[in-house]
Amino acid sequence: MPWSILEYLRKNPEILRESLKKRFMDVSLVDKAVSLDVEWRRLLTEVNNLRHKHNLISQQIPKLSDEERRIKIEEAKELLKTIESLEKRLDEVEKARDEILLSLPNLVHPSVPVGPDESYNIPVRVWGKAKVYHEFLNDFLKYTEGQGVKMDYEVINWRPVGHADMLENVLKLGNTLKAAEVASSRFYYLFDDIVWLDIALLLYAIDYLTSKGFKLVLPPYMLRHQFMAGVIDLNTFKDAIYKIEGEDLYLIATAEHSLAALHAGEDIPEEDLPLLYVGVSPCFRREAGAGSRDIKGIFRVHQFHKVEQFAYTLPEQSWEVFEMLISNAEELFRGLGLPYRVVNVASAELGSPAAKKYDLEVWYPAQGRFRELVSCSNCTDWQSYRLRIRYLRRKGNVRDYLHTLNSTAIASTRTITAILENYQTPDGVVEVPKTLRKYLEVFSRAPKDYIHPVRKG
RNA sequence: GCCGGGGUCGCCUAGCCUGGUAGGGCGCCGGCCUGCUAAGCCGGUGGGGACACCCCCGCGCGGGUUCAAAUCCCGCCCCCGGCGCCA
């Protein structure tokens, strides 16, 4: 039972209340869970005692004479009626308790800034030299020095074209209007050089992480409800997840989901930990709560490709691995030459599974703001409890829930938008980041140095 | 999709027909013994509640029959083999 949340519920519910407060959630959930748990334990003891009585009678029956047997069977039947009604009550209480328990978010780590929205995110690091259009200079300084970090920049006097216009109207290598007609909005057709770019970005991330010892995985793109529910919370389910009609299958919104399910129900020997995986998959997202935000272009779409880092660790390793995952992501973006800041995400923006989250946000010169390209979370034992994944320590026969972590390595379409804004020149040409060239060289028709706008014929 | 075989406490396996407290082997943990190791012996090795004794639940999952289900019945999942279909 050493799931941290259940343990605190019984031993120190105040910790849970504090954590819910930090997330700006209803604290009364804890009190409900505590009283239901007390009631559950009381009923369980009562039922167990009666079941014991019934077992004793059952065991006597085969040894008795016919006459005595009839009497005992009647007695057992009477007892069963009482047990059944109590069991029904026990079952109800247990279901009610578990429903609350499974709806509780992870405990917020002490180092997480407390705040109701993303404006409370705290920048922890910056890298690179941002191209800042003079009209955006105030905003840029607000997001950097205004929040306590100093970032290198150069002021430019031409306004870059937004990524959506670059794709659709300047390079003419994407068609979201036709995709909207045949699929719906937030879908896209991409062509030629942008497709090569998508592939090269994936290869780049896969190459980097496998060379660091991560095990490469091509996972299932769909999961059963039971396993999906083990990885995400109800809100994510509602807003992000597509269901296959008529089947108990759900499209993954990230390889994280399949990678977390990879060891569901298993006990992993401690000497095998940490387990480091790099998954590559398409990601499907309903974006149900997004309204008309980022409706243009391919920044926020229903499907994209992503290379994902996933780790299973011992509880005492997870914070160290957490820093390792974000630094891997940072290294990838330094390789791409995209200027970024890393923020420690505010408590209310964490999402239920995470105890702490870093976002890596790249500077977008045409939009004049930082935008999230990487999300790195330590889910501690929140997912492993639901999926029943434990580590096994032979010394002392310890079996306990391990920690799971996940982080984007590279999400293809969003990274392409960042390249389109950061690598464009005033004449509409987009330079290909040098790191990607080795992954493009092998293809005869892939772009090598520049992506040029189509000339009007 | 159809037909047949199967799923037992980490692994292997007995029990199922003929209902009556789930047994054995291996591995692992702890102890005893021993100059050390090995062997040998003893105990433990699924979940939960009280945590001192103890008790309940657990044989792929979910129902049913019964005083009593690993065992009988129904539905589902997965694995193996055959047939069909297929990139």
Coordinates of all heavy atoms in Angstrom, one line a residue, chain A residues 1 10 40-41 44-45 48 51-52 54-55 58 61 73 76-77 80 224 390 394-395 399, chain B residues 10 20-21 27-30 44-50 55-57 66-68 77-78:
Chain A
M1 N 0.8 -1.2 0.0 CA 0.0 0.0 0.0 C 0.8 1.3 0.0 O 0.3 2.4 0.1 CB -1.0 -0.1 1.1 CG -0.8 0.7 2.4 SD -1.2 2.4 2.5 CE -0.4 2.9 4.0
R10 N -4.0 8.5 4.9 CA -4.2 7.9 6.2 C -3.3 8.5 7.3 O -3.7 8.6 8.4 CB -3.9 6.4 6.1 CG -5.0 5.7 5.3 CD -4.7 4.2 5.2 NE -5.7 3.6 4.4 CZ -5.7 2.4 3.9 NH1 -4.6 1.6 4.1 NH2 -6.7 1.9 3.1
W40 N -14.7 2.4 4.9 CA -14.3 1.2 4.2 C -13.6 0.2 5.1 O -13.9 -1.0 5.1 CB -13.4 1.6 3.0 CG -12.9 0.4 2.2 CD1 -13.6 -0.3 1.2 CD2 -11.6 -0.2 2.3 NE1 -12.8 -1.3 0.7 CE2 -11.6 -1.3 1.4 CE3 -10.5 0.0 3.0 CZ2 -10.5 -2.1 1.2 CZ3 -9.4 -0.8 2.9 CH2 -9.4 -1.9 1.9
R41 N -12.6 0.7 5.8 CA -11.9 -0.2 6.7 C -12.7 -0.9 7.8 O -12.6 -2.0 8.1 CB -10.7 0.5 7.3 CG -9.5 0.7 6.3 CD -8.3 1.3 6.9 NE -8.5 2.7 7.1 CZ -7.6 3.4 7.8 NH1 -6.6 2.9 8.4 NH2 -7.9 4.7 8.0
L44 N -14.9 -3.5 6.1 CA -14.1 -4.6 5.7 C -13.8 -5.6 6.9 O -13.9 -6.8 6.7 CB -12.7 -4.2 5.1 CG -11.8 -5.3 4.6 CD1 -12.5 -6.0 3.4 CD2 -10.5 -4.8 4.1
T45 N -13.5 -5.0 8.0 CA -13.2 -5.8 9.2 C -14.5 -6.6 9.6 O -14.4 -7.8 9.8 CB -12.8 -4.9 10.4 OG1 -11.7 -4.1 9.9 CG2 -12.4 -5.8 11.6
N48 N -15.1 -9.3 7.0 CA -14.1 -10.4 7.2 C -14.4 -11.3 8.3 O -14.3 -12.5 8.2 CB -12.7 -9.8 7.3 CG -12.1 -9.4 6.0 OD1 -12.6 -9.8 5.0 ND2 -11.0 -8.7 6.0
R51 N -17.3 -13.5 7.3 CA -16.8 -14.5 6.3 C -16.1 -15.6 7.0 O -16.2 -16.8 6.6 CB -15.9 -13.8 5.2 CG -16.8 -12.9 4.3 CD -16.1 -12.8 2.9 NE -15.2 -11.6 2.9 CZ -15.2 -10.7 1.9 NH1 -16.0 -10.7 0.9 NH2 -14.3 -9.7 2.0
H52 N -15.3 -15.2 8.0 CA -14.6 -16.2 8.8 C -15.5 -17.2 9.4 O -15.3 -18.4 9.3 CB -13.7 -15.5 9.8 CG -12.9 -16.5 10.7 ND1 -12.1 -17.4 10.2 CD2 -12.9 -16.7 12.0 CE1 -11.6 -18.1 11.1 NE2 -12.0 -17.7 12.3
H54 N -18.5 -17.9 8.5 CA -19.1 -18.7 7.4 C -18.1 -19.8 6.9 O -18.5 -21.0 6.7 CB -19.5 -17.8 6.3 CG -20.2 -18.6 5.1 ND1 -19.5 -18.9 4.0 CD2 -21.4 -19.1 4.9 CE1 -20.2 -19.6 3.2 NE2 -21.4 -19.7 3.7
N55 N -16.9 -19.5 6.8 CA -15.9 -20.5 6.4 C -15.8 -21.6 7.4 O -15.7 -22.8 7.0 CB -14.5 -19.8 6.2 CG -14.4 -19.0 5.0 OD1 -15.2 -19.1 4.1 ND2 -13.4 -18.1 4.9
S58 N -18.7 -23.9 6.8 CA -18.6 -24.6 5.6 C -17.6 -25.8 5.8 O -17.8 -26.9 5.2 CB -18.0 -23.7 4.5 OG -19.1 -23.0 3.9
I61 N -19.3 -28.8 7.6 CA -20.4 -29.5 6.9 C -20.0 -30.9 6.4 O -20.7 -31.9 6.7 CB -21.0 -28.6 5.9 CG1 -21.8 -27.5 6.5 CG2 -21.8 -29.4 4.9 CD1 -22.3 -26.5 5.6
I73 N -26.3 -26.1 7.2 CA -26.5 -25.5 5.9 C -27.5 -24.3 6.1 O -27.3 -23.3 5.5 CB -27.0 -26.5 4.9 CG1 -25.8 -27.4 4.5 CG2 -27.5 -25.8 3.6 CD1 -26.2 -28.5 3.5
A76 N -25.7 -21.5 7.6 CA -24.8 -20.9 6.7 C -25.6 -19.9 5.7 O -25.1 -18.8 5.4 CB -24.0 -21.9 5.9
K77 N -26.7 -20.4 5.3 CA -27.6 -19.6 4.4 C -28.0 -18.3 5.1 O -28.0 -17.2 4.4 CB -28.8 -20.4 4.0 CG -28.6 -21.4 2.9 CD -29.9 -22.0 2.5 CE -29.7 -23.0 1.3 NZ -30.9 -23.7 1.1
L80 N -25.1 -16.0 5.2 CA -24.8 -15.4 3.8 C -25.6 -14.2 3.5 O -25.2 -13.3 2.9 CB -25.1 -16.5 2.8 CG -23.9 -17.4 2.4 CD1 -24.3 -18.4 1.3 CD2 -22.7 -16.5 1.9
R224 N -6.1 0.1 -25.0 CA -7.4 -0.2 -24.3 C -7.6 0.9 -23.3 O -6.7 1.5 -22.7 CB -7.3 -1.5 -23.6 CG -7.2 -2.7 -24.4 CD -7.3 -3.9 -23.5 NE -6.7 -5.1 -24.1 CZ -7.2 -5.9 -25.0 NH1 -8.5 -5.6 -25.4 NH2 -6.6 -6.9 -25.5
R390 N 6.0 -1.9 -10.4 CA 6.8 -1.8 -9.2 C 8.2 -2.2 -9.4 O 8.5 -2.8 -10.4 CB 6.2 -2.7 -8.1 CG 4.8 -2.3 -7.7 CD 4.2 -3.3 -6.7 NE 4.2 -4.6 -7.2 CZ 3.6 -5.6 -6.5 NH1 3.1 -5.4 -5.3 NH2 3.6 -6.9 -6.9
R394 N 15.5 -7.3 -4.0 CA 15.6 -8.6 -3.4 C 16.0 -8.5 -2.0 O 15.5 -9.2 -1.1 CB 16.6 -9.5 -4.2 CG 16.2 -9.7 -5.6 CD 16.9 -10.9 -6.2 NE 16.6 -10.9 -7.6 CZ 15.4 -11.2 -8.2 NH1 14.4 -11.6 -7.4 NH2 15.2 -11.2 -9.5
K395 N 17.0 -7.6 -1.7 CA 17.4 -7.4 -0.4 C 16.2 -6.9 0.4 O 15.8 -5.8 0.2 CB 18.6 -6.4 -0.4 CG 19.4 -6.4 0.9 CD 20.5 -7.4 0.8 CE 21.4 -7.5 2.1 NZ 22.1 -8.7 2.1
R399 N 8.9 -4.5 -2.5 CA 8.1 -4.3 -3.7 C 7.4 -3.0 -3.6 O 6.6 -2.9 -2.7 CB 7.1 -5.4 -3.9 CG 7.4 -6.4 -5.0 CD 6.3 -7.4 -5.1 NE 6.7 -8.6 -4.4 CZ 7.1 -9.7 -5.1 NH1 7.2 -9.7 -6.4 NH2 7.5 -10.8 -4.4
Chain B
rG10 P 3.8 -15.1 -8.9 OP1 2.7 -14.3 -8.9 OP2 4.0 -16.1 -10.0 O5' 5.1 -14.2 -8.8 C5' 5.4 -13.2 -9.9 C4' 6.8 -13.4 -10.5 O4' 7.8 -13.6 -9.5 C3' 6.9 -14.8 -11.3 O3' 6.4 -14.6 -12.6 C2' 8.3 -15.1 -11.2 O2' 9.1 -14.4 -12.1 C1' 8.7 -14.6 -9.8 N9 8.5 -15.6 -8.8 C8 7.7 -15.6 -7.7 N7 7.8 -16.7 -6.9 C5 8.8 -17.4 -7.5 C6 9.3 -18.7 -7.1 O6 9.0 -19.4 -6.2 N1 10.3 -19.1 -8.0 C2 10.7 -18.4 -9.1 N2 11.7 -19.0 -9.9 N3 10.2 -17.2 -9.5 C4 9.3 -16.8 -8.7
rG20 P -12.9 -31.3 -4.2 OP1 -11.6 -30.8 -4.5 OP2 -13.2 -32.7 -4.1 O5' -13.3 -30.6 -2.8 C5' -12.9 -29.3 -2.5 C4' -13.2 -29.1 -1.0 O4' -14.6 -29.1 -0.7 C3' -12.5 -30.0 -0.1 O3' -11.8 -29.3 0.9 C2' -13.6 -30.8 0.6 O2' -13.4 -31.1 1.9 C1' -14.8 -29.9 0.5 N9 -16.1 -30.5 0.3 C8 -16.5 -31.7 -0.2 N7 -17.8 -31.8 -0.2 C5 -18.3 -30.7 0.5 C6 -19.6 -30.3 0.9 O6 -20.7 -30.9 0.6 N1 -19.7 -29.1 1.5 C2 -18.6 -28.3 1.8 N2 -18.8 -27.2 2.4 N3 -17.3 -28.7 1.4 C4 -17.3 -29.9 0.8
rU21 P -10.3 -29.5 1.2 OP1 -9.6 -29.8 0.0 OP2 -10.2 -30.4 2.4 O5' -9.8 -28.1 1.7 C5' -10.4 -26.9 1.1 C4' -9.8 -25.7 1.8 O4' -9.8 -26.0 3.2 C3' -8.3 -25.5 1.4 O3' -8.2 -24.6 0.4 C2' -7.6 -25.0 2.7 O2' -7.6 -23.6 2.7 C1' -8.6 -25.5 3.8 N1 -8.1 -26.5 4.7 C2 -6.9 -26.2 5.5 O2 -6.4 -25.1 5.4 N3 -6.5 -27.1 6.3 C4 -7.0 -28.4 6.5 O4 -6.5 -29.1 7.4 C5 -8.2 -28.6 5.7 C6 -8.6 -27.7 4.9
rG27 P 17.9 -23.4 -7.1 OP1 19.3 -23.5 -7.4 OP2 17.3 -23.8 -5.8 O5' 17.4 -21.9 -7.4 C5' 17.8 -21.2 -8.6 C4' 17.0 -19.9 -8.7 O4' 15.6 -20.2 -8.7 C3' 17.2 -18.9 -7.5 O3' 18.4 -18.2 -7.6 C2' 16.0 -18.1 -7.7 O2' 16.1 -17.1 -8.7 C1' 14.9 -19.1 -8.1 N9 14.2 -19.6 -6.9 C8 14.4 -20.9 -6.3 N7 13.6 -21.0 -5.3 C5 12.9 -19.9 -5.2 C6 11.9 -19.4 -4.2 O6 11.4 -20.1 -3.3 N1 11.5 -18.1 -4.5 C2 11.9 -17.3 -5.5 N2 11.4 -16.1 -5.5 N3 12.8 -17.7 -6.4 C4 13.3 -19.0 -6.2
rC28 P 19.3 -17.8 -6.3 OP1 20.5 -17.2 -6.8 OP2 19.3 -19.0 -5.5 O5' 18.3 -16.7 -5.6 C5' 18.1 -15.5 -6.2 C4' 17.0 -14.7 -5.5 O4' 15.8 -15.5 -5.5 C3' 17.2 -14.5 -4.0 O3' 18.1 -13.4 -3.8 C2' 15.8 -14.3 -3.5 O2' 15.3 -13.0 -3.8 C1' 15.0 -15.3 -4.4 N1 14.9 -16.6 -3.7 C2 13.9 -16.7 -2.7 O2 13.2 -15.7 -2.4 N3 13.7 -17.9 -2.0 C4 14.4 -18.9 -2.3 N4 14.2 -20.1 -1.7 C5 15.5 -18.9 -3.3 C6 15.6 -17.7 -4.0
rC29 P 19.1 -13.5 -2.5 OP1 20.0 -12.3 -2.6 OP2 19.6 -14.8 -2.3 O5' 18.1 -13.1 -1.3 C5' 17.4 -11.9 -1.2 C4' 16.5 -11.9 0.0 O4' 15.4 -12.8 -0.2 C3' 17.1 -12.3 1.3 O3' 17.8 -11.2 1.9 C2' 15.9 -12.7 2.1 O2' 15.2 -11.6 2.6 C1' 15.0 -13.4 1.0 N1 15.3 -14.9 1.0 C2 14.6 -15.6 2.0 O2 13.9 -15.1 2.8 N3 14.8 -17.0 2.0 C4 15.6 -17.5 1.0 N4 15.7 -18.9 1.1 C5 16.2 -16.8 0.0 C6 16.1 -15.4 0.1
rG30 P 19.1 -11.6 2.8 OP1 19.7 -10.3 3.2 OP2 19.9 -12.6 2.1 O5' 18.5 -12.3 4.1 C5' 17.8 -11.5 5.0 C4' 17.2 -12.4 6.1 O4' 16.2 -13.3 5.4 C3' 18.1 -13.3 6.9 O3' 18.8 -12.6 7.9 C2' 17.0 -14.3 7.4 O2' 16.3 -13.7 8.5 C1' 16.1 -14.5 6.2 N9 16.5 -15.7 5.5 C8 17.1 -15.7 4.3 N7 17.3 -17.0 3.9 C5 16.7 -17.7 4.8 C6 16.6 -19.2 5.0 O6 17.0 -20.0 4.2 N1 16.0 -19.5 6.1 C2 15.5 -18.6 7.1 N2 14.9 -19.2 8.1 N3 15.6 -17.3 7.0 C4 16.2 -17.0 5.8
rG44 P 6.6 -20.6 6.7 OP1 5.2 -20.4 7.1 OP2 6.9 -21.7 5.8 O5' 7.1 -19.2 5.9 C5' 6.9 -18.0 6.6 C4' 7.6 -16.9 5.8 O4' 9.0 -17.3 5.6 C3' 7.2 -16.7 4.4 O3' 6.0 -15.8 4.3 C2' 8.4 -16.0 3.8 O2' 8.5 -14.6 4.2 C1' 9.5 -16.8 4.4 N9 10.0 -17.9 3.6 C8 9.8 -19.2 3.7 N7 10.4 -19.9 2.8 C5 10.9 -19.0 1.9 C6 11.7 -19.1 0.7 O6 12.0 -20.1 0.1 N1 12.0 -17.9 0.2 C2 11.7 -16.6 0.7 N2 12.2 -15.6 0.1 N3 11.1 -16.5 1.9 C4 10.7 -17.7 2.4
rU45 P 5.0 -16.0 3.1 OP1 3.9 -15.1 3.4 OP2 4.7 -17.5 3.0 O5' 5.8 -15.6 1.8 C5' 6.1 -14.2 1.6 C4' 7.1 -14.1 0.4 O4' 8.2 -15.0 0.6 C3' 6.5 -14.6 -0.9 O3' 5.7 -13.5 -1.5 C2' 7.7 -14.9 -1.7 O2' 8.3 -13.7 -2.3 C1' 8.6 -15.5 -0.7 N1 8.7 -17.0 -0.7 C2 9.5 -17.6 -1.6 O2 10.1 -16.9 -2.5 N3 9.5 -18.9 -1.6 C4 8.8 -19.7 -0.7 O4 8.9 -21.0 -0.8 C5 8.0 -19.0 0.2 C6 8.0 -17.7 0.2
rG46 P 4.2 -13.8 -2.0 OP1 3.2 -13.8 -1.1 OP2 4.5 -15.0 -2.9 O5' 4.1 -12.4 -2.7 C5' 4.0 -12.1 -4.0 C4' 2.6 -11.8 -4.5 O4' 1.7 -12.9 -4.5 C3' 1.8 -10.8 -3.6 O3' 2.2 -9.5 -3.8 C2' 0.4 -11.0 -4.1 O2' 0.2 -10.4 -5.4 C1' 0.4 -12.6 -4.3 N9 -0.1 -13.2 -3.1 C8 0.6 -14.1 -2.3 N7 -0.2 -14.5 -1.3 C5 -1.4 -13.9 -1.5 C6 -2.6 -14.1 -0.7 O6 -2.8 -14.7 0.3 N1 -3.6 -13.3 -1.3 C2 -3.5 -12.6 -2.4 N2 -4.6 -11.9 -2.8 N3 -2.4 -12.4 -3.1 C4 -1.4 -13.2 -2.6
rG47 P 2.2 -8.5 -2.5 OP1 3.0 -7.3 -2.9 OP2 2.5 -9.2 -1.3 O5' 0.7 -8.0 -2.5 C5' 0.1 -7.4 -3.6 C4' -1.4 -7.1 -3.4 O4' -2.0 -8.4 -3.3 C3' -1.7 -6.5 -2.0 O3' -1.5 -5.1 -2.0 C2' -3.2 -6.9 -1.9 O2' -4.0 -6.2 -2.7 C1' -3.1 -8.4 -2.4 N9 -2.9 -9.3 -1.3 C8 -1.7 -9.9 -1.0 N7 -1.8 -10.7 0.0 C5 -3.1 -10.6 0.4 C6 -3.8 -11.2 1.5 O6 -3.3 -12.0 2.4 N1 -5.1 -10.8 1.6 C2 -5.7 -9.9 0.7 N2 -7.0 -9.6 0.9 N3 -5.1 -9.3 -0.3 C4 -3.8 -9.7 -0.4
rG48 P -1.1 -4.4 -0.7 OP1 -0.9 -3.0 -1.0 OP2 -0.1 -5.2 0.0 O5' -2.4 -4.5 0.2 C5' -3.6 -3.8 -0.2 C4' -4.8 -4.2 0.6 O4' -4.9 -5.7 0.6 C3' -4.7 -4.0 2.1 O3' -5.0 -2.6 2.4 C2' -5.8 -4.9 2.6 O2' -7.1 -4.4 2.4 C1' -5.6 -6.1 1.7 N9 -4.7 -7.1 2.4 C8 -3.4 -7.4 2.1 N7 -2.9 -8.3 2.9 C5 -3.9 -8.7 3.7 C6 -4.0 -9.6 4.8 O6 -3.1 -10.4 5.2 N1 -5.2 -9.7 5.4 C2 -6.3 -8.9 5.0 N2 -7.4 -9.0 5.7 N3 -6.3 -8.0 4.0 C4 -5.0 -7.9 3.4
rG49 P -4.5 -2.0 3.8 OP1 -4.7 -0.6 3.8 OP2 -3.1 -2.5 4.1 O5' -5.5 -2.7 4.9 C5' -6.8 -2.3 4.9 C4' -7.5 -3.0 6.0 O4' -7.5 -4.4 5.8 C3' -6.9 -2.8 7.4 O3' -7.2 -1.6 8.0 C2' -7.4 -4.0 8.1 O2' -8.7 -3.8 8.5 C1' -7.4 -5.1 7.0 N9 -6.1 -5.8 7.0 C8 -5.0 -5.6 6.2 N7 -4.0 -6.5 6.4 C5 -4.5 -7.3 7.5 C6 -3.9 -8.4 8.1 O6 -2.8 -8.9 7.9 N1 -4.8 -8.9 9.1 C2 -6.0 -8.4 9.4 N2 -6.7 -9.1 10.3 N3 -6.6 -7.4 8.8 C4 -5.8 -6.9 7.8
rA50 P -6.4 -1.0 9.2 OP1 -6.9 0.3 9.5 OP2 -4.9 -1.2 8.9 O5' -6.8 -2.0 10.4 C5' -6.3 -1.7 11.7 C4' -6.3 -2.9 12.6 O4' -6.4 -4.1 11.7 C3' -5.0 -3.2 13.4 O3' -4.9 -2.5 14.6 C2' -5.1 -4.7 13.6 O2' -6.1 -5.0 14.6 C1' -5.6 -5.1 12.2 N9 -4.5 -5.3 11.3 C8 -4.2 -4.5 10.2 N7 -3.1 -4.9 9.5 C5 -2.7 -6.0 10.2 C6 -1.6 -6.9 10.1 N6 -0.7 -6.8 9.1 N1 -1.5 -7.9 11.0 C2 -2.4 -8.0 11.9 N3 -3.5 -7.3 12.2 C4 -3.6 -6.3 11.3
rC55 P -6.4 -17.2 11.8 OP1 -7.2 -18.5 12.0 OP2 -5.2 -17.3 11.0 O5' -7.4 -16.2 11.0 C5' -8.6 -15.8 11.5 C4' -9.2 -14.6 10.8 O4' -8.2 -13.5 10.9 C3' -9.3 -14.8 9.3 O3' -10.5 -15.6 8.9 C2' -9.4 -13.4 8.8 O2' -10.6 -12.8 9.1 C1' -8.3 -12.7 9.7 N1 -7.0 -12.7 9.0 C2 -6.8 -11.7 8.1 O2 -7.6 -10.8 7.9 N3 -5.6 -11.6 7.5 C4 -4.6 -12.5 7.7 N4 -3.4 -12.4 7.1 C5 -4.8 -13.6 8.7 C6 -6.0 -13.6 9.3
rC56 P -10.5 -16.4 7.6 OP1 -11.6 -17.3 7.6 OP2 -9.1 -16.9 7.3 O5' -10.8 -15.3 6.5 C5' -12.0 -14.5 6.6 C4' -11.9 -13.3 5.6 O4' -10.7 -12.5 5.9 C3' -11.6 -13.7 4.1 O3' -12.8 -14.1 3.5 C2' -11.0 -12.5 3.6 O2' -12.0 -11.5 3.3 C1' -10.2 -12.0 4.7 N1 -8.8 -12.4 4.6 C2 -7.9 -11.7 3.8 O2 -8.4 -10.7 3.1 N3 -6.6 -12.1 3.7 C4 -6.1 -13.1 4.4 N4 -4.9 -13.4 4.2 C5 -7.0 -13.9 5.2 C6 -8.3 -13.5 5.3
rC57 P -12.8 -15.2 2.3 OP1 -14.2 -15.5 2.0 OP2 -11.9 -16.4 2.8 O5' -12.1 -14.5 1.1 C5' -12.7 -13.4 0.5 C4' -11.7 -12.7 -0.4 O4' -10.6 -12.2 0.4 C3' -11.1 -13.5 -1.5 O3' -11.9 -13.7 -2.6 C2' -9.9 -12.6 -1.8 O2' -10.3 -11.5 -2.6 C1' -9.5 -12.2 -0.4 N1 -8.4 -13.0 0.1 C2 -7.1 -12.8 -0.4 O2 -6.9 -12.0 -1.3 N3 -6.1 -13.6 0.1 C4 -6.3 -14.5 1.1 N4 -5.3 -15.2 1.5 C5 -7.7 -14.7 1.6 C6 -8.6 -13.9 1.1
rU66 P -28.3 -22.0 -6.1 OP1 -29.6 -22.5 -5.8 OP2 -28.0 -20.5 -5.9 O5' -27.2 -22.8 -5.3 C5' -27.3 -24.2 -5.2 C4' -26.1 -24.7 -4.5 O4' -24.9 -24.4 -5.3 C3' -25.8 -24.1 -3.2 O3' -26.6 -24.7 -2.2 C2' -24.3 -24.5 -3.0 O2' -24.1 -25.8 -2.6 C1' -23.8 -24.2 -4.4 N1 -23.2 -22.9 -4.5 C2 -21.9 -22.7 -4.3 O2 -21.1 -23.7 -3.9 N3 -21.4 -21.5 -4.4 C4 -22.1 -20.3 -4.8 O4 -21.5 -19.3 -4.8 C5 -23.5 -20.6 -5.0 C6 -24.0 -21.8 -4.9
rC67 P -27.2 -23.8 -1.0 OP1 -28.2 -24.7 -0.2 OP2 -27.7 -22.6 -1.6 O5' -26.0 -23.5 -0.1 C5' -26.0 -22.5 0.9 C4' -24.8 -22.6 1.8 O4' -24.8 -23.8 2.5 C3' -23.5 -22.6 1.0 O3' -23.1 -21.3 0.7 C2' -22.6 -23.3 2.1 O2' -22.2 -22.3 3.1 C1' -23.5 -24.3 2.7 N1 -23.4 -25.6 2.0 C2 -22.2 -26.4 2.2 O2 -21.3 -25.9 2.9 N3 -22.1 -27.6 1.6 C4 -23.1 -28.0 0.8 N4 -22.9 -29.2 0.3 C5 -24.2 -27.3 0.6 C6 -24.4 -26.1 1.2
rA68 P -22.5 -21.0 -0.7 OP1 -22.1 -19.6 -0.8 OP2 -23.4 -21.6 -1.8 O5' -21.1 -21.9 -0.7 C5' -20.1 -21.5 0.1 C4' -18.9 -22.5 0.0 O4' -19.4 -23.8 0.5 C3' -18.4 -22.8 -1.4 O3' -17.5 -21.8 -1.7 C2' -17.8 -24.1 -1.2 O2' -16.5 -24.1 -0.6 C1' -18.8 -24.8 -0.3 N9 -19.8 -25.6 -1.0 C8 -21.1 -25.3 -1.2 N7 -21.8 -26.2 -1.9 C5 -20.8 -27.2 -2.0 C6 -20.9 -28.5 -2.6 N6 -22.0 -29.0 -3.1 N1 -19.8 -29.3 -2.6 C2 -18.7 -28.8 -2.0 N3 -18.5 -27.6 -1.4 C4 -19.6 -26.9 -1.5
rC77 P -13.1 -10.8 -26.7 OP1 -13.0 -9.7 -27.7 OP2 -13.2 -12.2 -27.1 O5' -11.8 -10.6 -25.7 C5' -11.4 -9.4 -25.2 C4' -10.1 -9.5 -24.4 O4' -10.5 -10.4 -23.2 C3' -9.0 -10.3 -25.0 O3' -8.2 -9.4 -25.9 C2' -8.2 -10.8 -23.8 O2' -7.4 -9.7 -23.3 C1' -9.3 -11.2 -22.9 N1 -9.7 -12.6 -23.0 C2 -8.8 -13.5 -22.3 O2 -7.8 -13.1 -21.7 N3 -9.2 -14.8 -22.4 C4 -10.2 -15.2 -23.1 N4 -10.5 -16.5 -23.1 C5 -11.1 -14.3 -23.8 C6 -10.8 -13.0 -23.7
rC78 P -7.5 -10.0 -27.2 OP1 -7.0 -8.9 -27.9 OP2 -8.5 -11.0 -27.8 O5' -6.3 -10.9 -26.6 C5' -5.2 -10.2 -25.9 C4' -4.4 -11.2 -25.2 O4' -5.2 -12.0 -24.2 C3' -3.8 -12.3 -26.1 O3' -2.6 -11.9 -26.8 C2' -3.5 -13.4 -25.0 O2' -2.4 -13.1 -24.3 C1' -4.7 -13.3 -24.1 N1 -5.8 -14.2 -24.5 C2 -5.7 -15.6 -24.1 O2 -4.7 -15.9 -23.5 N3 -6.6 -16.5 -24.5 C4 -7.7 -16.1 -25.2 N4 -8.6 -17.0 -25.5 C5 -7.8 -14.7 -25.6 C6 -6.9 -13.8 -25.3

